[in-house]
Amino acid sequence: LWRLGYCARLLKTNHFRTAASNTSFPAVWMLLAQHSGRIPGLFVVVKKTTFFTMPETVEDKTNPELYLPHPGVRGMTLLNREAFKRTVVVPALKVKKEIVHRVLKSLKPSVLQRPGLKRVVEDPEDEDSRFVILDPHKVPEFSLGESEQQVLKQLSVHPEVCKYHLELTYENFKSEEILRAVLPEGQEVTSGFSRVGHIAHLNLRDHQLPYRHLIGQVIMDKNPGITCVVNKTNIIDSTYRNFEMEVLAGENNLVTKVKENNIAYELDFSKVYWNPRLSTEHGRIVELLKAGDVLFDVFAGIGPFAIPAAKRKCRVFANDLNPESYTWLLHNCKLNKVDTKVKVFNMDGRDFLRGPVREELSKELPLLKEEQKTSFHIVMNLPALAVEFLDVFRHLLVGEPCSPAGLPTVHCYGFSKHSNPARDIQERAEATLGTSLAGRCSTYLVRNVAPNKEMLCLSFQIPADVLYKRPCP
């Protein structure tokens, strides 16, 4: 147990410590293997848990039937809740109803704690008595330990444990347990999802597709507030950053409201891009801004960077090529009462950089004085393509360079499958810019998108010799 805890901490520490220099998963696994000593199984288990993006439930070996629905549900594709009923035998104590509370308090570690199941039930043959249901894991072979028996003696309760027939229904099982019972044995069972307002968004594997409507209904049943479950049916379109989806269960209403970092947004999930896993990254970038700064959001979506920045009294120029994103961006600016602080555009990213961005920088940068502390930030959150747009900055402006402190800072996002993703994204950016960024940039690991695929943010001030074209004499 000590080794397990130590290795888990070691993995977490070294993974984040090497984020900027080397986020190679194989390197981290090798480091873990070196410290895991003579426990070869530990290496495999930790690796498996890290790569899966949705949680798995470990089957209980002690008394599996208490946590498993009726075996007849195996292979079910249309949900029949009645088929999940079963009766299991569990240990119980018969006590007088007047002292039930005292017994529960004294035997708390041994009492059944399973959510949704009553710990105290009536005795149909004696209205003055109650049955206290015990945990079969804590009371093996229907026999209490000496310490528990001593406690019962002090309460004048007979320590004999009886067998109680407990009925389990669909409502008593967790979603993971239901799906494990339904899907074919040996196949991966996942029940994780992204929640977007009232919508649960799944990414099902091929072997789960025959059961997709049942999975959707189970997710909706077991998660209050979820009224629609969808499954992604194709990869994200790199042009508009949305994807086709199939409604698996619930109402066909994909217009929803979400709240991120205390700011409300409304959107049509089927037509715009929204990822709740990026809330921390949105907050990180916004925290870099101060009142009076200028933010150019090249691929703004519905405004998760632009609107919080405007709330911080920054001047914001936000653009998105997707007409639907543009419409919802306008809507969300009004919803959050920042529509007068955000200039919104519906343009291609290159046209936005060569148009409004160049115009504003050409006007503002020559006026900057050394003592002024206004900063210019350009966010490019289109990980699949953003690095390719960096060539726009080459000689974007004409004239004498401004002071180094006034040079705009770019936050460019990208994906990498390289063994050293930080070095990979920096080298790709340098090739597009036509200059070295060594010592002039920082790389932040945003999240692990898939096995061996990382999302990163490369931040750097645009070098003056890249941004400016000197006028001919």
Side-chain angles (χ1 to χ4, degrees):
L1 287 175
W2 177 85
R3 263 184 206 278
L4 177 63
Y6 173 76
C7 289
R9 290 194 302 273
L10 180 77
L11 173 64
K12 182 178 179 181
T13 301
N14 282 280
H15 174 67
F16 286 105
R17 183 180 297 160
T18 57
S21 60
N22 181 7
T23 53
S24 165
F25 271 108
V28 176
W29 297 131
M30 288 300 294
L31 181 63
L32 178 60
Q34 292 170 9
H35 288 268
S36 62
R38 297 186 299 274
I39 313 179
L42 179 64
F43 176 78
V44 178
V45 172
V46 176
K47 182 176 181 180
K48 178 179 179 183
T49 309
T50 302
F51 278 131
F52 285 124
T53 58
M54 293 188 280
E56 289 189 275
T57 301
V58 179
E59 184 178 345
D60 195 308
K61 302 294 185 183
T62 312
N63 187 8
E65 70 171 9
L66 183 61
Y67 301 103
L68 291 180
H70 193 283
V73 302
R74 180 77 65 190
M76 178 188 294
T77 56
L78 184 64
L79 183 60
N80 176 9
R81 296 176 182 84
E82 290 296 315
F84 286 82
K85 284 185 179 179
R86 73 178 306 172
T87 301
V88 294
V89 179
V90 294
L93 276 176
K94 184 175 179 178
V95 302
K96 292 296 182 181
K97 64 180 182 181
E98 294 84 10
I99 60 170
V100 164
H101 180 72
R102 294 169 62 191
V103 171
L104 286 174
K105 189 175 180 180
S106 301
L107 294 181
K108 186 176 180 180
S110 301
V111 174
L112 184 66
Q113 302 289 342
R114 184 153 175 88
L117 289 179
K118 291 182 178 180
R119 295 178 298 170
V120 180
V121 295
E122 294 184 356
D123 183 352
E125 299 177 356
D126 184 358
E127 62 179 18
D128 295 326
S129 298
R130 298 289 186 269
F131 284 114
V132 175
I133 309 300
L134 303 176
D135 189 336
H137 302 152
K138 307 291 179 61
V139 188
E141 300 179 359
F142 295 83
S143 177
L144 288 169
E146 289 187 15
S147 58
E148 288 88 352
Q149 292 186 33
Q150 288 295 328
V151 169
L152 293 177
K153 276 186 180 181
Q154 294 174 8
L155 297 173
S156 301
V157 176
H158 194 278
E160 183 180 357
V161 177
C162 60
K163 294 183 178 181
Y164 183 84
H165 291 77
L166 180 67
E167 184 180 70
L168 300 175
T169 66
Y170 173 81
E171 285 70 27
N172 299 132
F173 298 109
K174 301 174 184 177
S175 55
E176 295 91 343
E177 294 163 350
I178 292 172
L179 299 182
R180 187 174 294 281
V182 169
L183 268 65
E185 290 187 77
Q187 290 193 352
E188 178 194 350
V189 175
T190 56
S191 62
F193 59 87
S194 296
R195 182 164 183 168
V196 183
H198 67 274
I199 302 168
H201 169 219
L202 306 176
N203 288 320
L204 297 181
R205 309 287 176 88
D206 289 342
H207 72 271
Q208 298 168 328
L209 292 179
Y211 308 90
R212 62 189 184 279
H213 294 292
L214 180 143
I215 294 172
Q217 189 63 53
V218 171
I219 294 297
M220 195 167 69
D221 288 346
K222 298 296 180 179
N223 294 275
I226 296 293
T227 58
C228 176
V229 182
V230 300
N231 180 48
K232 185 170 71 172
T233 57
N234 72 338
I235 61 173
I236 292 177
D237 181 283
S238 59
T239 304
Y240 286 164
R241 292 197 294 176
N242 53 10
F243 49 80
E244 295 179 9
M245 60 184 71
E246 177 186 11
V247 176
L248 304 181
E251 59 186 3
N252 190 3
N253 174 21
L254 298 176
V255 175
T256 187
K257 180 181 285 188
V258 296
K259 197 168 186 179
E260 180 183 273
N261 300 326
N262 296 316
I263 294 178
Y265 302 89
E266 293 179 354
L267 62 134
D268 185 335
F269 190 54
S270 65
K271 296 179 179 178
V272 304
Y273 178 80
W274 180 264
N275 191 336
R277 294 186 177 94
L278 294 177
S279 62
T280 302
E281 179 61 13
H282 296 152
R284 184 183 74 87
I285 294 297
V286 172
E287 283 294 320
L288 301 176
L289 309 175
K290 60 184 183 299
D293 284 353
V294 180
L295 174 68
F296 301 102
D297 195 348
V298 185
F299 312 106
I302 66 167
F305 288 112
I307 292 172
K311 289 274 190 181
R312 292 176 74 92
K313 299 182 180 180
C314 297
R315 287 189 293 129
V316 180
F317 297 76
N319 171 74
D320 204 280
L321 177 63
N322 183 354
E324 289 289 338
S325 296
Y326 169 77
T327 300
W328 285 105
L329 176 57
L330 285 171
H331 173 81
N332 287 310
C333 286
K334 290 179 180 177
L335 180 67
N336 289 280
K337 300 178 181 178
V338 294
D339 47 306
T340 59
K341 301 176 182 177
V342 181
K343 291 185 179 180
V344 181
F345 302 85
N346 180 207
M347 307 171 68
D348 176 78
R350 290 180 179 276
D351 296 336
F352 176 64
L353 290 166
R354 288 172 176 156
V357 175
R358 172 158 54 187
E359 181 181 339
E360 191 66 21
L361 291 177
S362 298
K363 183 173 62 176
E364 294 282 341
L365 292 182
L367 301 178
L368 278 183
K369 298 178 181 179
E370 289 292 336
E371 65 271 13
Q372 285 183 320
K373 297 183 179 180
T374 301
S375 297
F376 296 85
H377 293 262
I378 302 173
V379 173
M380 305 175 69
N381 185 18
L382 184 64
L385 296 172
V387 173
E388 299 174 17
F389 282 73
L390 294 178
D391 65 313
V392 175
F393 295 117
R394 289 156 67 173
H395 296 169
L396 183 66
L397 305 181
V398 176
E400 289 298 320
C402 67
S403 66
L407 292 170
T409 298
V410 174
H411 307 282
C412 181
Y413 292 83
F415 294 130
S416 177
K417 293 184 177 181
H418 196 273
S419 60
N420 188 334
R423 185 178 65 192
D424 173 52
I425 192 171
Q426 179 179 330
E427 289 178 349
R428 285 158 49 202
E430 290 173 338
T432 309
L433 288 167
T435 192
S436 172
L437 294 176
R440 298 191 285 185
C441 69
S442 63
T443 306
Y444 182 81
L445 178 64
V446 178
R447 70 188 189 99
N448 176 243
V449 178
N452 300 317
K453 183 178 181 181
E454 310 291 343
M455 177 179 175
L456 304 99
C457 176
L458 179 72
S459 296
F460 61 93
Q461 274 192 301
I462 309 174
D465 56 340
V466 172
L467 183 61
Y468 282 91
K469 179 181 180 181
R470 301 291 181 93
C472 293

